[in-house]
PDB file of all heavy atoms in Angstrom:
ATOM      1  N   LEU R 107     -20.650  -2.352 -10.157  1.00  0.00           N
ATOM      2  CA  LEU R 107     -21.145  -1.061  -9.651  1.00  0.00           C
ATOM      3  C   LEU R 107     -20.014  -0.184  -9.107  1.00  0.00           C
ATOM      4  O   LEU R 107     -20.258   0.955  -8.703  1.00  0.00           O
ATOM      5  CB  LEU R 107     -22.186  -1.284  -8.546  1.00  0.00           C
ATOM      6  CG  LEU R 107     -23.445  -2.041  -8.953  1.00  0.00           C
ATOM      7  CD1 LEU R 107     -24.325  -2.285  -7.728  1.00  0.00           C
ATOM      8  CD2 LEU R 107     -24.219  -1.260 -10.016  1.00  0.00           C
ATOM      9  N   ALA R 108     -18.799  -0.713  -9.101  1.00  0.00           N
ATOM     10  CA  ALA R 108     -17.626  -0.004  -8.574  1.00  0.00           C
ATOM     11  C   ALA R 108     -17.841   0.413  -7.125  1.00  0.00           C
ATOM     12  O   ALA R 108     -17.571   1.541  -6.734  1.00  0.00           O
ATOM     13  CB  ALA R 108     -17.261   1.185  -9.450  1.00  0.00           C
ATOM     14  N   THR R 109     -18.344  -0.543  -6.314  1.00  0.00           N
ATOM     15  CA  THR R 109     -18.560  -0.271  -4.901  1.00  0.00           C
ATOM     16  C   THR R 109     -17.827  -1.291  -4.064  1.00  0.00           C
ATOM     17  O   THR R 109     -17.485  -2.377  -4.544  1.00  0.00           O
ATOM     18  CB  THR R 109     -20.061  -0.331  -4.539  1.00  0.00           C
ATOM     19  OG1 THR R 109     -20.546  -1.640  -4.835  1.00  0.00           O
ATOM     20  CG2 THR R 109     -20.859   0.703  -5.307  1.00  0.00           C
ATOM     21  N   GLY R 110     -17.596  -0.949  -2.826  1.00  0.00           N
ATOM     22  CA  GLY R 110     -16.998  -1.877  -1.876  1.00  0.00           C
ATOM     23  C   GLY R 110     -16.004  -1.191  -0.974  1.00  0.00           C
ATOM     24  O   GLY R 110     -15.212  -0.367  -1.420  1.00  0.00           O
ATOM     25  N   LEU R 111     -16.108  -1.525   0.318  1.00  0.00           N
ATOM     26  CA  LEU R 111     -15.174  -1.012   1.309  1.00  0.00           C
ATOM     27  C   LEU R 111     -14.724  -2.162   2.193  1.00  0.00           C
ATOM     28  O   LEU R 111     -15.507  -3.048   2.519  1.00  0.00           O
ATOM     29  CB  LEU R 111     -15.830   0.048   2.200  1.00  0.00           C
ATOM     30  CG  LEU R 111     -16.057   1.435   1.628  1.00  0.00           C
ATOM     31  CD1 LEU R 111     -16.857   2.281   2.615  1.00  0.00           C
ATOM     32  CD2 LEU R 111     -14.736   2.119   1.311  1.00  0.00           C
ATOM     33  N   VAL R 112     -13.466  -2.111   2.581  1.00  0.00           N
ATOM     34  CA  VAL R 112     -12.944  -3.071   3.543  1.00  0.00           C
ATOM     35  C   VAL R 112     -12.223  -2.305   4.642  1.00  0.00           C
ATOM     36  O   VAL R 112     -11.845  -1.140   4.463  1.00  0.00           O
ATOM     37  CB  VAL R 112     -11.972  -4.095   2.905  1.00  0.00           C
ATOM     38  CG1 VAL R 112     -12.675  -4.967   1.891  1.00  0.00           C
ATOM     39  CG2 VAL R 112     -10.766  -3.413   2.299  1.00  0.00           C
ATOM     40  N   GLU R 113     -12.040  -2.997   5.772  1.00  0.00           N
ATOM     41  CA  GLU R 113     -11.271  -2.411   6.860  1.00  0.00           C
ATOM     42  C   GLU R 113     -10.078  -3.307   7.142  1.00  0.00           C
ATOM     43  O   GLU R 113     -10.223  -4.506   7.352  1.00  0.00           O
ATOM     44  CB  GLU R 113     -12.130  -2.271   8.117  1.00  0.00           C
ATOM     45  CG  GLU R 113     -11.439  -1.478   9.203  1.00  0.00           C
ATOM     46  CD  GLU R 113     -12.362  -1.098  10.332  1.00  0.00           C
ATOM     47  OE1 GLU R 113     -13.456  -0.571  10.072  1.00  0.00           O
ATOM     48  OE2 GLU R 113     -11.974  -1.337  11.493  1.00  0.00           O
ATOM     49  N   VAL R 114      -8.891  -2.681   7.108  1.00  0.00           N
ATOM     50  CA  VAL R 114      -7.635  -3.385   7.372  1.00  0.00           C
ATOM     51  C   VAL R 114      -6.904  -2.614   8.453  1.00  0.00           C
ATOM     52  O   VAL R 114      -6.625  -1.428   8.281  1.00  0.00           O
ATOM     53  CB  VAL R 114      -6.738  -3.447   6.111  1.00  0.00           C
ATOM     54  CG1 VAL R 114      -5.454  -4.196   6.396  1.00  0.00           C
ATOM     55  CG2 VAL R 114      -7.458  -4.051   4.950  1.00  0.00           C
ATOM     56  N   ASP R 115      -6.620  -3.267   9.551  1.00  0.00           N
ATOM     57  CA  ASP R 115      -5.880  -2.637  10.650  1.00  0.00           C
ATOM     58  C   ASP R 115      -6.457  -1.279  11.039  1.00  0.00           C
ATOM     59  O   ASP R 115      -5.731  -0.311  11.272  1.00  0.00           O
ATOM     60  CB  ASP R 115      -4.396  -2.475  10.289  1.00  0.00           C
ATOM     61  CG  ASP R 115      -3.664  -3.791  10.216  1.00  0.00           C
ATOM     62  OD1 ASP R 115      -4.153  -4.777  10.810  1.00  0.00           O
ATOM     63  OD2 ASP R 115      -2.601  -3.836   9.566  1.00  0.00           O
ATOM     64  N   GLY R 116      -7.769  -1.182  11.062  1.00  0.00           N
ATOM     65  CA  GLY R 116      -8.432   0.046  11.481  1.00  0.00           C
ATOM     66  C   GLY R 116      -8.568   1.103  10.400  1.00  0.00           C
ATOM     67  O   GLY R 116      -9.119   2.175  10.642  1.00  0.00           O
ATOM     68  N   SER R 117      -8.076   0.839   9.209  1.00  0.00           N
ATOM     69  CA  SER R 117      -8.183   1.793   8.099  1.00  0.00           C
ATOM     70  C   SER R 117      -9.179   1.285   7.077  1.00  0.00           C
ATOM     71  O   SER R 117      -9.214   0.092   6.765  1.00  0.00           O
ATOM     72  CB  SER R 117      -6.833   1.977   7.399  1.00  0.00           C
ATOM     73  OG  SER R 117      -5.891   2.540   8.268  1.00  0.00           O
ATOM     74  N   ARG R 118      -9.986   2.187   6.545  1.00  0.00           N
ATOM     75  CA  ARG R 118     -10.963   1.816   5.517  1.00  0.00           C
ATOM     76  C   ARG R 118     -10.389   2.103   4.138  1.00  0.00           C
ATOM     77  O   ARG R 118      -9.805   3.150   3.897  1.00  0.00           O
ATOM     78  CB  ARG R 118     -12.260   2.598   5.716  1.00  0.00           C
ATOM     79  CG  ARG R 118     -12.976   2.187   6.963  1.00  0.00           C
ATOM     80  CD  ARG R 118     -14.267   2.927   7.136  1.00  0.00           C
ATOM     81  NE  ARG R 118     -14.925   2.425   8.338  1.00  0.00           N
ATOM     82  CZ  ARG R 118     -16.208   2.559   8.570  1.00  0.00           C
ATOM     83  NH1 ARG R 118     -16.982   3.186   7.718  1.00  0.00           N
ATOM     84  NH2 ARG R 118     -16.730   2.068   9.675  1.00  0.00           N
ATOM     85  N   TRP R 119     -10.618   1.126   3.255  1.00  0.00           N
ATOM     86  CA  TRP R 119     -10.107   1.214   1.888  1.00  0.00           C
ATOM     87  C   TRP R 119     -11.217   0.858   0.908  1.00  0.00           C
ATOM     88  O   TRP R 119     -12.018  -0.028   1.181  1.00  0.00           O
ATOM     89  CB  TRP R 119      -8.982   0.199   1.679  1.00  0.00           C
ATOM     90  CG  TRP R 119      -7.692   0.545   2.346  1.00  0.00           C
ATOM     91  CD1 TRP R 119      -7.368   0.362   3.653  1.00  0.00           C
ATOM     92  CD2 TRP R 119      -6.554   1.115   1.718  1.00  0.00           C
ATOM     93  NE1 TRP R 119      -6.090   0.772   3.877  1.00  0.00           N
ATOM     94  CE2 TRP R 119      -5.563   1.247   2.696  1.00  0.00           C
ATOM     95  CE3 TRP R 119      -6.275   1.531   0.420  1.00  0.00           C
ATOM     96  CZ2 TRP R 119      -4.312   1.777   2.430  1.00  0.00           C
ATOM     97  CZ3 TRP R 119      -5.034   2.048   0.154  1.00  0.00           C
ATOM     98  CH2 TRP R 119      -4.065   2.175   1.149  1.00  0.00           C
ATOM     99  N   SER R 120     -11.208   1.519  -0.247  1.00  0.00           N
ATOM    100  CA  SER R 120     -12.044   1.061  -1.354  1.00  0.00           C
ATOM    101  C   SER R 120     -11.485  -0.280  -1.791  1.00  0.00           C
ATOM    102  O   SER R 120     -10.279  -0.498  -1.738  1.00  0.00           O
ATOM    103  CB  SER R 120     -11.982   2.026  -2.534  1.00  0.00           C
ATOM    104  OG  SER R 120     -12.541   3.271  -2.179  1.00  0.00           O
ATOM    105  N   ALA R 121     -12.379  -1.175  -2.206  1.00  0.00           N
ATOM    106  CA  ALA R 121     -11.907  -2.506  -2.574  1.00  0.00           C
ATOM    107  C   ALA R 121     -12.650  -3.026  -3.789  1.00  0.00           C
ATOM    108  O   ALA R 121     -13.789  -2.646  -4.060  1.00  0.00           O
ATOM    109  CB  ALA R 121     -12.092  -3.468  -1.396  1.00  0.00           C
ATOM    110  N   ARG R 122     -11.973  -3.910  -4.518  1.00  0.00           N
ATOM    111  CA  ARG R 122     -12.557  -4.607  -5.649  1.00  0.00           C
ATOM    112  C   ARG R 122     -12.187  -6.071  -5.522  1.00  0.00           C
ATOM    113  O   ARG R 122     -11.144  -6.429  -4.986  1.00  0.00           O
ATOM    114  CB  ARG R 122     -12.048  -4.059  -6.988  1.00  0.00           C
ATOM    115  CG  ARG R 122     -12.374  -2.602  -7.243  1.00  0.00           C
ATOM    116  CD  ARG R 122     -13.883  -2.344  -7.352  1.00  0.00           C
ATOM    117  NE  ARG R 122     -14.173  -0.938  -7.488  1.00  0.00           N
ATOM    118  CZ  ARG R 122     -14.513  -0.126  -6.491  1.00  0.00           C
ATOM    119  NH1 ARG R 122     -14.592  -0.574  -5.258  1.00  0.00           N
ATOM    120  NH2 ARG R 122     -14.773   1.136  -6.719  1.00  0.00           N
ATOM    121  N   SER R 123     -13.043  -6.921  -6.077  1.00  0.00           N
ATOM    122  CA  SER R 123     -12.816  -8.359  -6.046  1.00  0.00           C
ATOM    123  C   SER R 123     -11.815  -8.747  -7.127  1.00  0.00           C
ATOM    124  O   SER R 123     -11.916  -8.293  -8.272  1.00  0.00           O
ATOM    125  CB  SER R 123     -14.138  -9.092  -6.273  1.00  0.00           C
ATOM    126  OG  SER R 123     -13.916 -10.460  -6.475  1.00  0.00           O
ATOM    127  N   SER R 124     -10.855  -9.599  -6.788  1.00  0.00           N
ATOM    128  CA  SER R 124      -9.871 -10.045  -7.777  1.00  0.00           C
ATOM    129  C   SER R 124     -10.495 -10.969  -8.805  1.00  0.00           C
ATOM    130  O   SER R 124     -10.021 -11.070  -9.932  1.00  0.00           O
ATOM    131  CB  SER R 124      -8.700 -10.749  -7.086  1.00  0.00           C
ATOM    132  OG  SER R 124      -9.155 -11.919  -6.432  1.00  0.00           O
ATOM    133  N   THR R 125     -11.597 -11.646  -8.431  1.00  0.00           N
ATOM    134  CA  THR R 125     -12.248 -12.582  -9.350  1.00  0.00           C
ATOM    135  C   THR R 125     -13.413 -11.953 -10.090  1.00  0.00           C
ATOM    136  O   THR R 125     -13.941 -12.540 -11.028  1.00  0.00           O
ATOM    137  CB  THR R 125     -12.768 -13.808  -8.590  1.00  0.00           C
ATOM    138  OG1 THR R 125     -13.752 -13.376  -7.640  1.00  0.00           O
ATOM    139  CG2 THR R 125     -11.645 -14.535  -7.874  1.00  0.00           C
ATOM    140  N   GLY R 126     -13.845 -10.802  -9.627  1.00  0.00           N
ATOM    141  CA  GLY R 126     -15.012 -10.158 -10.223  1.00  0.00           C
ATOM    142  C   GLY R 126     -16.313 -10.561  -9.548  1.00  0.00           C
ATOM    143  O   GLY R 126     -17.363  -9.987  -9.821  1.00  0.00           O
ATOM    144  N   ALA R 127     -16.255 -11.541  -8.657  1.00  0.00           N
ATOM    145  CA  ALA R 127     -17.456 -12.004  -7.950  1.00  0.00           C
ATOM    146  C   ALA R 127     -17.843 -10.998  -6.864  1.00  0.00           C
ATOM    147  O   ALA R 127     -16.979 -10.346  -6.282  1.00  0.00           O
ATOM    148  CB  ALA R 127     -17.196 -13.368  -7.323  1.00  0.00           C
ATOM    149  N   LYS R 128     -19.134 -10.898  -6.602  1.00  0.00           N
ATOM    150  CA  LYS R 128     -19.611 -10.033  -5.533  1.00  0.00           C
ATOM    151  C   LYS R 128     -19.216 -10.644  -4.195  1.00  0.00           C
ATOM    152  O   LYS R 128     -19.251 -11.861  -4.021  1.00  0.00           O
ATOM    153  CB  LYS R 128     -21.125  -9.876  -5.599  1.00  0.00           C
ATOM    154  CG  LYS R 128     -21.587  -9.129  -6.829  1.00  0.00           C
ATOM    155  CD  LYS R 128     -23.101  -9.001  -6.848  1.00  0.00           C
ATOM    156  CE  LYS R 128     -23.540  -8.308  -8.126  1.00  0.00           C
ATOM    157  NZ  LYS R 128     -24.997  -8.169  -8.205  1.00  0.00           N
ATOM    158  N   ILE R 129     -18.823  -9.775  -3.267  1.00  0.00           N
ATOM    159  CA  ILE R 129     -18.446 -10.232  -1.926  1.00  0.00           C
ATOM    160  C   ILE R 129     -19.302  -9.460  -0.927  1.00  0.00           C
ATOM    161  O   ILE R 129     -19.238  -8.232  -0.875  1.00  0.00           O
ATOM    162  CB  ILE R 129     -16.945 -10.002  -1.650  1.00  0.00           C
ATOM    163  CG1 ILE R 129     -16.087 -10.670  -2.728  1.00  0.00           C
ATOM    164  CG2 ILE R 129     -16.578 -10.498  -0.255  1.00  0.00           C
ATOM    165  CD1 ILE R 129     -14.609 -10.372  -2.617  1.00  0.00           C
ATOM    166  N   PRO R 130     -20.131 -10.172  -0.149  1.00  0.00           N
ATOM    167  CA  PRO R 130     -21.045  -9.493   0.767  1.00  0.00           C
ATOM    168  C   PRO R 130     -20.333  -8.923   1.999  1.00  0.00           C
ATOM    169  O   PRO R 130     -19.256  -9.372   2.379  1.00  0.00           O
ATOM    170  CB  PRO R 130     -22.028 -10.587   1.175  1.00  0.00           C
ATOM    171  CG  PRO R 130     -21.294 -11.855   0.969  1.00  0.00           C
ATOM    172  CD  PRO R 130     -20.336 -11.621  -0.149  1.00  0.00           C
ATOM    173  N   SER R 131     -20.988  -7.933   2.600  1.00  0.00           N
ATOM    174  CA  SER R 131     -20.507  -7.314   3.827  1.00  0.00           C
ATOM    175  C   SER R 131     -20.339  -8.371   4.914  1.00  0.00           C
ATOM    176  O   SER R 131     -21.117  -9.314   5.000  1.00  0.00           O
ATOM    177  CB  SER R 131     -21.508  -6.241   4.261  1.00  0.00           C
ATOM    178  OG  SER R 131     -21.059  -5.616   5.427  1.00  0.00           O
ATOM    179  N   GLY R 132     -19.300  -8.229   5.730  1.00  0.00           N
ATOM    180  CA  GLY R 132     -19.042  -9.176   6.810  1.00  0.00           C
ATOM    181  C   GLY R 132     -18.097 -10.293   6.433  1.00  0.00           C
ATOM    182  O   GLY R 132     -17.634 -11.040   7.293  1.00  0.00           O
TER     183      GLY R 132
END
Side-chain angles (χ1 to χ4, degrees):
L107 299 175
T109 60
L111 284 174
V112 296
E113 189 169 311
V114 181
D115 291 339
S117 296
R118 292 182 178 201
W119 287 80
S120 295
R122 299 296 175 263
S123 170
S124 63
T125 62
K128 293 180 183 179
I129 305 174
S131 181

